[in-house]
Amino acid sequence: MCSLPMARYYIIKDADQKALYVRDDQLLVGDPDADNCCAEKICVLPNRGLDRTKVPIFLGIQGGSRCLACVETAEGPSLKLEDVNIEDLYKGGEQATRFTFFQRSLGSAFRLEAAAWPGWFLCGPAERQQPVQLTKETEPSACTEFYFEQGQ
């Protein structure tokens, strides 16, 4: 578990109240009861190296031992879970921008914009048991809105 005092743990859900969970090395969205999965407690730490007014954050899973990263593919930016400790990113690790998301408030919901890919947002899949992805979207929509519920 992440030991830094400012670390916060959240269950992150989409607009349909489907939770983020991990299966087969991917971050998916689903109904923990119906999909036989357990909602992932996401460790959130700020990226102190970027503009704090944009609320830059890192998203870590498995106690902060793996982090969500934006990587470049032939089809454009994509999401990948990488074996990097969230505490190392917080302390100013190399290439931290690709692990950073700007947390934009929409009332009680948030949009998560990839810091390395301005205009690309974390997006819940239309189908159940599919990985979260990045989408280029100018207007907020249900698939790019997420809710953070304080974890234990």
Side-chain angles (χ1 to χ4, degrees):
M1 296 292 273
C2 182
S3 62
L4 294 172
M6 69 287 307
R8 298 286 180 259
Y9 285 87
Y10 297 95
I11 302 295
I12 299 179
K13 296 183 175 181
D14 68 6
D16 296 325
Q17 294 300 300
K18 303 281 190 276
L20 297 185
Y21 69 97
V22 177
R23 181 175 291 155
D24 299 329
D25 205 37
Q26 291 187 307
L27 194 60
L28 308 176
V29 175
D31 180 343
D33 297 324
D35 296 342
N36 193 24
C37 64
C38 184
E40 184 72 28
K41 287 184 181 171
I42 311 286
C43 179
V44 176
L45 279 174
N47 179 338
R48 300 177 300 169
L50 296 178
D51 182 355
R52 291 182 186 203
T53 63
K54 292 184 175 184
V55 193
I57 60 170
F58 301 118
L59 301 173
I61 64 161
Q62 297 170 343
S65 65
R66 305 187 76 208
C67 291
L68 192 60
C70 298
V71 295
E72 188 169 3
T73 67
E75 294 82 38
S78 182
L79 294 172
K80 180 182 175 191
L81 290 173
E82 293 193 12
D83 294 325
V84 61
N85 192 299
I86 195 168
E87 290 185 32
D88 293 338
L89 293 175
Y90 175 78
K91 292 172 185 171
E94 298 275 322
Q95 300 178 322
T97 302
R98 67 190 189 94
F99 293 97
T100 305
F101 295 87
F102 294 127
Q103 187 178 8
R104 297 196 172 170
S105 177
L106 294 169
S108 62
F110 295 94
R111 294 179 85 199
L112 297 167
E113 181 179 15
W117 296 90
W120 289 81
F121 294 87
L122 200 68
C123 174
E127 313 278 320
R128 280 185 18 203
Q129 299 184 0
Q130 292 298 310
V132 293
Q133 51 206 9
L134 288 172
T135 185
K136 188 156 183 68
E137 190 174 297
T138 54
E139 294 297 318
S141 73
C143 68
T144 60
E145 292 180 13
F146 292 92
Y147 297 84
F148 285 54
E149 292 182 4
Q150 189 78 46
Q152 281 73 29

